[in-house]
Amino acid sequence: MLPELNLKPRIVTSEEVIIRETSALPVTLQCNLTSSSHTLTYSYWTKNGVELTATRKNASNMEYRINKPRAEDSGEYHCVYHFVSAPKANATIEVKAAPDITGHKRSENKNEGQDAMMYCKSVGYPHPEWIWSKKENGMPMEIVNTSGRFFIINKENYTELSIMNLQITEDPGEYECNATNSIGSASVVTILRVRSHLAPLWPFLGILAEIIILVVIIVVYEKRKRPDEVPDDDEPAGPMKTNSTNNHKDKNLRQRNTN
Amino acid sequence: MARRSEPPDGGWGWMVVLSAFFQSALVFGVLRSFGVFFVEFVAAFEEQAARVSWIASIGIAVQQFGSPVGSALSTKFGPRPVVMAGGILAALGMLLASFATSLTHLYLSIGLLSGSGWALTFTPTLACLSRYFSRRRSLATGLALTGVGLSSFAFAPLFQWLLSHYAWRGALLLVSALSLHLVACGALLRPLFLTEDPAVGGPGAQLASLLHHGPFLRYTVALTLINTGFFIPYVHLVAHLQDLNWDPLPAAFLLSVAAISDLVGRVASGWLGDAVPGPVARLLMLWTTLTGVSLALFPVAQAPTALVALTVAYGFTSGALTPVAFSVLPELVGTGRIYCGLGLLQMVESIGGLLGAPLSGYLRDVTGNYTASFVVAGVFLLAGSGVLITLPHFFCFSAPTLKPQDLVTEALDTKVTLPKEGLGED
């Protein structure tokens, strides 16, 4: 008996698509099962491994239409064909788009010694390379982990930067996560602020000492200039502390007035 | 200890000017630059901006309404201990604020406590200044008040720097230390004993005599009217410029221009007030009328050059009327009653200030633009300057500057005949 020749199914697909922000024209993905020696049972589309709802059909010609393509619609699409007593077959169409960062913290405020966590979420395909940098004088500089306190976790559309044991001298600033793929790149900034409890204490005490010294100088200077003056709690509107000569003068003047 | 019959007009008085300069910087400069903290408070306590701005409003209100208390205490104890105590209170308020856990905490510590401290410092210092000068009173006051404008320039970037380096709690701690310099300023206020002091009596007696003093009451009315219109452009100029489609950067620049011309106006008017003979009230009327006119012209000006010119004019004239406004008072009530007089005056005129801004905001909401607000502000100023005509000796064109002692004798209803001016008897 001659073995049956099994023809591998051939699927013809449409071209890969690049979604640009500028053009919002609808996109149609097409798969055509051109030759197969087995009976087709059903077929459907998947995006990034997940079956898309309401796409299951029994047709060799498959179409998937994206009406208003956006970055979220990008990914790896498969048209999958299932057969009777034969392995399934699929073809891949890549829908690419530049990354767009959809989630991040605008600012992170922590106390000195605590841990900070900053993250960025993106959409876009192919999955981007992530780079974290810190803005020094307005220019992004890549983060150097000399102190060993920086930890970066990169997943497909997600990245996380953790800083352990925050130092108030080096760590505060603007941190930028940058997502780059073959189509384009995007980046956003998170501001890290580190609160310190003790740092202002020294200047505070210094100023306190300065003020005490100032007050002492002022009061001592005054006492030295006029040692016979009474201390400063005098009542200007209280009883007159004049000597008798003054009273004498007043009496004279009063007499003059009544004349 | 000898009592002086005339203010020294110099000497230690210039140290008092220095003290007053730093105090106006530390009180009003801090208040004006506090807006920098508001952004941090909004984020830290997750409150609305309107609720956060109440902190400054409470502080200003307490400072103004508490002025008579500061004045009464200064009359009894002299300005030095009162101002030093006020400095400690103001710094304490900021210190407690750095530990705040809620907005209410800030209302009480900064608004109430620091506000009380400021009430005990500013008014007694200005009154003390008026006692130290007579011939050069306006210039001294003008120079002292430049502290407000200059500190606004310096403190806003300083506070921003403090915030970025120490976060808001640390920054408040250091602002507290800054405010503590008020104590050092207070130490500079050497008490001065003038001949009319014992005759005017204690704070209670002074208050009573002031409330029966016709010119003082009329002056209070005039200043309240002036105050109502005075602050409106400060509050609404930027918004008005936005209505005219100005960009934020040129608008901010215009405010700086106004601040500079305000500074120049203060000093120039101070010098002028002393140089021109006759009652200072006439100069006050001149500046107030000009301010009112420039305000009323604001809605008419559309071209940028006209607006810039008007802003410069408004800045100059409104700055010019401030030192003169403080100089009129000792001429009216005498240097013996200056503490109580100034305190009472500040308290009543603050009502005008509190009403003015909401009123103009309301007018804007009702009419849709700021035309009515500016015109009404101008009207208030002109009305105030009109009341000034009723002050005594207004129309004496060649009369020499009136000695304070003469006015005290006129005003006081006492059986004790006061010693008149030395006449070489000393």
Side-chain angles (χ1 to χ4, degrees):
Chain A
M1 222 166 31
L2 287 170
E4 274 189 339
L5 282 173
N6 275 325
L7 282 174
K8 282 194 85 170
R10 283 192 66 226
I11 306 172
V12 177
T13 65
S14 54
E15 295 279 311
E16 79 167 21
V17 178
I18 296 179
I19 298 175
R20 304 248 180 238
E21 237 173 77
T22 44
S23 65
L25 296 169
V27 160
T28 308
L29 310 176
Q30 284 177 313
C31 277
N32 206 346
L33 183 67
T34 48
S35 61
S36 165
S37 47
H38 299 278
T39 325
L40 179 68
T41 48
Y42 55 88
S43 50
Y44 54 85
W45 287 94
T46 67
K47 177 185 172 189
N48 298 330
V50 178
E51 179 178 341
L52 295 169
T53 53
T55 55
R56 195 171 271 221
K57 289 198 305 193
N58 182 335
S60 57
N61 203 333
M62 293 286 285
E63 270 194 9
Y64 184 70
R65 186 183 170 90
I66 306 172
N67 275 323
K68 287 182 187 166
R70 295 174 310 205
E72 299 97 85
D73 298 313
S74 64
E76 201 177 86
Y77 288 81
H78 292 255
C79 50
V80 183
Y81 294 91
H82 282 257
F83 304 101
V84 175
S85 61
K88 62 183 179 183
N90 62 35
T92 307
I93 304 178
E94 291 187 310
V95 178
K96 295 185 176 177
D100 184 27
I101 298 182
T102 52
H104 74 289
K105 282 187 195 174
R106 294 196 66 185
S107 72
E108 170 88 337
N109 301 310
K110 287 274 190 267
N111 291 328
E112 201 178 10
Q114 285 184 320
D115 306 329
M117 189 277 282
M118 293 174 274
Y119 70 88
C120 290
K121 285 188 192 156
S122 75
V123 294
Y125 184 83
H127 299 303
E129 293 279 320
W130 290 100
I131 300 177
W132 280 96
S133 49
K134 186 177 175 197
K135 287 200 170 177
E136 307 279 352
N137 302 325
M139 300 296 298
M141 307 271 296
E142 205 167 334
I143 293 175
V144 183
N145 197 3
T146 45
S147 51
R149 297 180 293 111
F150 291 74
F151 295 93
I152 297 178
I153 301 172
N154 285 334
K155 295 182 195 165
E156 283 180 339
N157 270 335
Y158 177 77
T159 182
E160 195 174 284
L161 169 66
S162 301
I163 310 179
M164 307 285 137
N165 193 12
L166 286 168
Q167 303 294 310
I168 197 164
T169 42
E170 331 160 355
D171 295 336
E174 296 184 344
Y175 287 81
E176 181 188 84
C177 67
N178 178 297
T180 308
N181 67 6
S182 53
I183 312 298
S185 70
S187 55
V188 289
V189 167
T190 304
I191 300 176
L192 177 65
R193 294 193 192 95
V194 183
R195 293 187 282 251
S196 165
H197 296 297
L198 285 184
L201 200 62
W202 296 116
F204 178 76
L205 292 174
I207 295 176
L208 207 60
E210 169 228 328
I211 290 172
I212 293 175
I213 292 172
L214 270 178
V215 174
V216 167
I217 289 176
I218 292 170
V219 175
V220 166
Y221 174 72
E222 183 170 326
K223 291 280 191 307
R224 285 221 171 162
K225 273 215 102 182
R226 298 188 285 182
D228 51 345
E229 292 282 326
V230 291
D232 32 7
D233 305 71
D234 270 344
E235 302 178 1
M240 280 172 72
K241 292 193 173 75
T242 56
N243 51 32
S244 53
T245 344
N246 259 355
N247 280 333
H248 215 43
K249 280 192 299 186
D250 291 348
K251 288 209 190 88
N252 283 340
L253 287 168
R254 263 194 222 111
Q255 284 172 352
R256 195 174 289 146
N257 280 338
T258 52
N259 278 349
Chain B
M1 170 193 350
R3 285 187 182 272
R4 306 188 73 109
S5 51
E6 267 231 339
D9 245 320
W12 190 257
W14 295 115
M15 295 300 280
V16 178
V17 172
L18 191 72
S19 166
F21 175 85
F22 282 115
Q23 285 191 49
S24 38
L26 289 171
V27 173
F28 292 108
V30 167
L31 266 174
R32 284 195 190 182
S33 311
F34 223 70
V36 176
F37 276 91
F38 284 174
V39 182
E40 297 288 318
F41 290 152
V42 168
F45 295 109
E46 285 157 9
E47 292 273 5
Q48 293 174 318
R51 300 204 63 202
V52 170
S53 61
W54 270 104
I55 300 173
S57 306
I58 294 177
I60 294 172
V62 172
Q63 185 264 322
Q64 289 182 321
F65 279 107
S67 296
V69 177
S71 309
L73 288 173
S74 316
T75 316
K76 200 158 188 335
F77 299 111
R80 176 183 272 171
V82 176
V83 174
M84 289 174 84
I88 292 177
L89 278 182
L92 193 65
M94 292 285 171
L95 181 72
L96 290 177
S98 71
F99 295 106
T101 50
S102 73
L103 207 55
T104 320
H105 197 145
L106 286 177
Y107 291 157
L108 292 175
S109 57
I110 298 180
L112 199 58
L113 198 56
S114 291
S116 315
W118 293 326
L120 293 180
T121 55
F122 186 64
T123 311
T125 305
L126 273 191
C128 180
L129 191 65
S130 298
R131 284 165 60 86
Y132 264 89
F133 288 89
S134 77
R135 275 189 310 113
R136 286 188 269 187
R137 183 175 290 141
S138 296
L139 180 63
T141 315
L143 284 174
L145 290 176
T146 55
V148 182
L150 287 174
S151 64
S152 305
F153 277 126
F155 282 171
L158 175 69
F159 286 4
Q160 193 62 55
W161 183 87
L162 284 176
L163 277 172
S164 62
H165 269 77
Y166 295 106
W168 65 266
R169 289 188 194 273
L172 275 177
L173 195 68
L174 291 175
V175 171
S176 159
L178 189 69
S179 299
L180 205 58
H181 283 92
L182 285 168
V183 178
C185 292
L188 282 173
L189 298 179
R190 264 192 219 163
L192 190 66
F193 305 108
L194 298 175
T195 37
E196 68 245 17
D197 291 339
V200 298
Q206 287 191 27
L207 273 176
S209 70
L210 280 172
L211 289 173
H212 288 96
H213 192 236
F216 174 76
L217 293 174
R218 293 198 288 272
Y219 187 59
T220 308
V221 170
L223 272 198
T224 309
L225 288 170
I226 292 172
N227 231 30
T228 315
F230 183 80
F231 290 106
I232 290 176
Y234 279 113
V235 180
H236 294 303
L237 185 62
V238 176
H240 177 61
L241 289 175
Q242 280 176 351
D243 279 358
L244 294 176
N245 295 320
W246 276 52
D247 286 325
L249 198 60
F253 179 67
L254 196 60
L255 279 183
S256 302
V257 165
I260 293 173
S261 68
D262 170 287
L263 214 64
V264 172
R266 283 174 200 244
V267 182
S269 150
W271 175 84
L272 197 67
D274 297 320
V276 168
V280 187
R282 291 189 303 193
L283 280 177
L284 180 62
M285 187 196 166
L286 171 72
W287 297 125
T288 319
T289 312
L290 286 177
T291 314
V293 167
S294 60
L295 271 185
L297 286 178
F298 255 105
V300 177
Q302 296 288 329
T305 39
L307 277 171
V308 172
L310 268 184
T311 309
V312 170
Y314 166 74
F316 186 85
T317 50
S318 64
L321 68 86
T322 4
V324 181
F326 286 112
S327 296
V328 172
L329 195 61
E331 284 188 2
L332 281 181
V333 304
T335 47
R337 290 187 293 179
I338 188 71
Y339 289 114
C340 281
L342 198 55
L344 206 54
L345 181 65
Q346 290 245 294
M347 184 180 89
V348 177
E349 76 177 12
S350 70
I351 297 173
L354 280 175
L355 289 179
L359 175 67
S360 88
Y362 169 74
L363 284 172
R364 200 272 180 188
D365 289 339
V366 165
T367 63
N369 59 29
Y370 284 102
T371 307
S373 312
F374 278 107
V375 168
V376 165
V379 165
F380 270 112
L381 279 161
L382 290 171
S385 65
V387 176
L388 286 174
I389 300 182
T390 65
L391 292 177
H393 306 282
F394 193 82
F395 292 106
C396 294
F397 284 103
S398 56
T401 315
L402 296 166
K403 297 282 187 327
Q405 289 82 340
D406 297 333
L407 292 162
V408 170
T409 329
E410 280 175 7
L412 272 185
D413 205 23
T414 148
K415 297 200 183 89
V416 173
T417 322
L418 286 176
K420 289 264 186 199
E421 218 217 313
L423 301 170
E425 290 285 303
D426 294 350

